[in-house]
Amino acid sequence: MKIKNICCIGAGYVGGPTMSIIANKNPNIRVNVVDMNPEKINAWNSKNLQDLPVFEPGLSKVVKEARGRNLFFSTDVNYHIENSEMIFISVNTPTKISGEGKGYAADLKYVEACAKQIAEISKTDKIIVEKSTVPVRTSEKIKQILRLHNSKVDFQILSNPEFLAEGTAMRDLEIPDRVLIGGENTPKGKKAIQSLVDIYLSWVPEKNILTTNLWSSELSKLTANAFLAQRISSINSLSELCEETGADIEEVSKAIGMDSRIGSSFLKTSVGFGGSCFQKDILNLVYIARSLGFEKVANYWEQVIIINKHQRDRFSKKIADSIKQNNLENKVLLLGWAFKKNTNDSRESAAIYVANNLLKKNIAIEIYDPKVNEDQIKFDLSNLNTNFDESLVNYVTDPFSNISDYNTIAIMTEWDIFKNFKWEEIYKKIKKPAFIFDGRNILNIEMIKKIGFNYCGLGRK
Ligand code: NAD
Ligand code: UGA
């Protein structure tokens, strides 16, 4: 079937950019992105492209081209469900905070609500595409909900997980390593798969489109994230070893990564991975394994999260210990709040946890991020700890407005501007002695030490 109308439920970090690309590459398909959050939809419709709710390099250009032509953002979920042949579910699937599986399992309430709404509204056959990251066999649950609430129309379910990374989303969507589509091995299932394949074929080479059964597709998404995060925890665990042995983690990482069987990606030491997905997806995997009685498998993957927390905690401790041992002012300037550069997303950012650890020790913090605003930072801190001491926190728009008050700077996000600062100038103004904690290993150690800073990176001296 040739698709003419697509509806995507969820205008977030995935729904917005993916649908913008689909619309951009398929001018003959009308793509309606809907969300229950009117503020978000208003922001997607804002005249000023700087005000889009998602910051992604290259996104505004694509939105500018397609919006109003065949790309639309709306809060009228029911209308667009009814008027589409294909519906993507791209809503959030956070870790459950209550009930069975609390703290581990993915909360599917938003996905399930979408399925129910689709069933109640639909009067014509639909292809439902699971875009959200979900536990293996979720499509079975979606199917049951659809059937329970509507036995009159035919629903075909596909799994089409998204592999984009924030900050490089547009490039990842434009030239994906692979597009994964899972579906049923029935005549109708195969037709549905082909309809989605045809949409991607507008710009993705056929060899990069992989079709599988539903369960393989769902499980591959969870495990791809788990593998990536596992590499980061592996290198982070070695950074601690390097600090004690005199090995340099950057050299070790390079040496390991040059083995073509291992590869160099995702071997960059950091203060810990963040983002809305790695932790949630691994916890979900742990939950699934544990539910099936595979305790050793569950413990294996859980260790990736344990090391990540350990890395954040030991980085915080280094800062607190330095303040104490050197009798410094109880204040730190935190550079960066986003979980990685080139995004305004701060979900699960390591900065939140480090800030919280410092606040617990009564250390004052001043925070600067080029894309994350004060309200978001406040939300993040209170979300982690409702009783955080606001009097110890200062949000700054100019990172150096109070620089002469500080002995200690910590780099939390690898934004290019931090790398490119004129550190000699900063050194002239900052209180002495001046300490820099490089949570991303982005600075040139020789240069920074030559200027006069006391440097503390991860896994290198
Ligand atoms: P998000 O929170 O940015 O966006 C989800 C949106 O869905 C929100 O705007 C919310 O208002 C909306 N929504 C929820 N329930 C709704 C409903 N019933 N009706 C209408 N709108 C509804 O989330 P995200 O980061 O875009 O992630 C979405 C899914 O994609 C998650 O499962 C995530 O794991 C997965 N994923 C995310 C990324 C990423 O980089 N963020 C990458 C790959 C996969
Ligand atoms: C990650 C995956 O890379 C995507 O393929 C996936 O689609 C997405 O999760 C998802 O499912 O949400 P994302 O979290 O946006 O993408 O960004 P990454 O580039 O993977 O970075 C995640 C975190 O790991 C960041 O905090 C980053 O700074 C950190 N990181 C990454 C390291 O500490 N070291 C590295 O070598 C790489």
Side-chain angles (χ1 to χ4, degrees), residues 271 312 334 336-338 348-356 381 412-413:
V271 55
R312 296 188 307 237
L334 296 182
W337 193 257
E348 287 300 322
S349 177
I352 308 170
Y353 292 91
V354 171
N356 186 49
L381 284 170
M412 304 307 302
T413 313

Side-chain angles (χ1 to χ4, degrees), residues 9-16 34-37 40 54 77 89-94 109-111 113-114 117 131-134 161-166 221 225 276-277 280-281 339 345 347:
I9 309 179
Y13 282 89
V14 168
V34 296
D35 202 291
M36 60 185 179
N37 178 344
K40 205 171 262 189
V54 170
V77 182
I89 299 180
S90 190
V91 298
N92 32 333
T93 49
K109 68 177 176 216
Y110 302 107
V111 171
C114 289
Q117 194 170 359
K131 193 59 150 165
S132 299
T133 303
V134 290
E162 185 47 61
F163 294 100
L164 68 79
E166 289 178 32
K221 170 62 198 175
N225 273 358
S276 62
C277 296
K280 130 178 122 58
D281 292 347
F339 79 99
D345 193 349
R347 290 177 290 181

